[in-house]
Amino acid sequence: MKITCVGGGPTGLYFALLSKLRSPRAEVTVIERNAPGATHGWGVTWGDELLDDLYACDPASARRLRGASLLWGKQEVRIDGRAPVHLGGKYGYSMSRSRMQQILTDRASELGVRLEYGQAVDDDAAIDADLVVAADGVGSRLRARHVERFAPTITTGRNRYIWLGTSAVLGAFTFAFERTDMGWVWAYGYPSTGGTSTFVVECAPSTWTGLGLDRMAPDAGLRLLESVFAKVLSGHRLREPPMTLGRSPWLHFREIRNATWRHGRVVLAGDSAHTTHFGIGSGTVLAVQD
């Protein structure tokens, strides 16, 4: 049995290691177009439901992920300088995406998964495998090759958003809303590991252009957002994800749905199969549970 996962994010890596764990004689390969260690985004977050699944499927990697994660137990809403409103009854775990990928990479390698980097796969016909897992993200090239079969529905959101990190270690999962002369700007932030936090900023198109974010150099845009969220950030800097350097980091959220997740030997998983809005912090959860 030959299994190839296209995409070396959490989806492809976890599927590969579980496949090897359950079928030791299978030839399992992960093909990743980027260099080892390269990743987008900053942190990932999840709750007990995923942690229970991880321990049930592979206790070894589950223990490493839990040991490297940070436990958060507070949520708060901040609106335009008012006193924060605290929300109880919810806690979760978070860690840097790069650390999560390294743990899953190490575990997959231990089990005998073959890891290949620096290769872009556009055509599954060139892959010698019985099963091809398309874990190549929201812009999946393998899904596009069989677009008539998978019949994806892609809905592009109006708002602009930017996925940032910050040196501010947030003490809670934070929802911050700030009023500017050009309209509201809001952020979703949560603590990560390594002395950073994830900080996703979103705004309406009219606010984005009104503030000049469509014309500013990325660094100037970050300085403007730091001034907007000065109280939340407590004077700390915002950081642009490394993989967006050299191009605009502002995006439109794309909701992906497919008529089917399987065509022949090709199966979609993670963001290539479905997406969920970053505001609920469940993208990695759904991808790994796939």
Side-chain angles (χ1 to χ4, degrees):
M1 179 73 170
K2 292 183 179 180
I3 301 172
T4 296
C5 298
V6 179
T11 310
L13 288 169
Y14 200 63
F15 186 90
L17 74 86
L18 291 187
S19 297
K20 194 65 175 176
L21 192 65
R22 283 151 179 73
S23 301
R25 292 190 295 175
E27 295 180 30
V28 184
T29 303
V30 173
I31 301 176
E32 167 58 43
R33 64 180 177 178
N34 296 307
T39 185
H40 64 275
W42 287 90
V44 295
T45 185
W46 65 87
D48 273 341
E49 297 86 354
L50 178 62
L51 194 61
D52 289 344
D53 289 344
L54 295 175
Y55 272 100
C57 292
D58 178 34
S61 58
R63 284 191 294 269
R64 297 176 196 178
L65 290 168
R66 175 63 185 92
S69 65
L70 179 149
L71 176 66
W72 56 265
K74 298 179 181 178
Q75 293 184 94
E76 65 179 30
V77 179
R78 293 170 170 260
I79 301 178
D80 201 24
R82 303 174 196 172
V85 175
H86 298 277
L87 307 176
K90 179 71 174 177
Y91 69 93
Y93 309 90
S94 59
M95 67 190 310
S96 69
R97 181 182 169 91
S98 61
R99 181 65 179 132
M100 182 181 203
Q101 283 196 196
Q102 188 59 58
I103 289 173
L104 296 180
T105 297
D106 291 345
R107 179 59 173 154
S109 182
E110 289 173 8
L111 293 170
V113 174
R114 181 178 178 181
L115 304 168
E116 299 180 0
Y117 295 95
Q119 298 185 44
V121 178
D122 300 318
D123 186 351
D124 59 281
I127 300 175
D128 177 21
D130 302 295
L131 171 65
V132 177
V133 180
D136 52 345
V138 63
S140 174
R141 299 180 183 186
L142 297 186
R143 185 188 65 224
R145 182 175 181 273
H146 301 287
V147 65
E148 296 84 3
R149 297 291 186 174
F150 290 116
T153 300
I154 303 176
T155 305
T156 302
R158 293 177 58 252
N159 290 348
R160 292 279 184 165
Y161 77 95
I162 182 171
W163 198 284
L164 302 170
T166 175
S167 55
V169 180
L170 301 175
F173 203 116
T174 303
F175 303 90
F177 301 82
E178 298 292 342
R179 190 198 308 267
T180 73
D181 292 339
M182 297 298 168
W184 289 89
V185 183
W186 54 96
Y188 316 83
Y190 53 88
S192 184
T193 52
T196 64
S197 297
T198 297
F199 204 77
V200 187
V201 178
E202 185 179 7
C203 63
S206 56
T207 303
W208 187 64
T209 56
L211 291 173
L213 291 166
D214 59 328
R215 303 178 297 279
M216 287 183 189
D219 188 65
L222 295 189
R223 303 294 81 81
L224 173 61
L225 294 176
E226 286 170 356
S227 67
V228 171
F229 294 101
K231 291 184 179 179
V232 178
L233 296 172
S234 301
H236 285 265
R237 305 294 295 270
L238 289 171
R239 302 176 181 176
E240 183 181 344
M243 290 182 68
T244 66
L245 294 178
R247 60 182 176 85
S248 175
W250 288 94
L251 305 168
H252 291 282
F253 174 72
R254 287 181 287 172
E255 181 187 55
I256 306 292
R257 297 187 180 191
N258 290 275
T260 178
W261 289 5
R262 174 180 178 267
H263 167 57
R265 62 174 184 158
V266 180
V267 177
L268 305 179
D271 283 350
S272 68
H274 54 74
T275 57
T276 184
H277 194 270
F278 46 82
I280 67 171
S282 293
T284 300
V285 173
L286 293 180
V288 173
Q289 285 180 331
D290 279 356

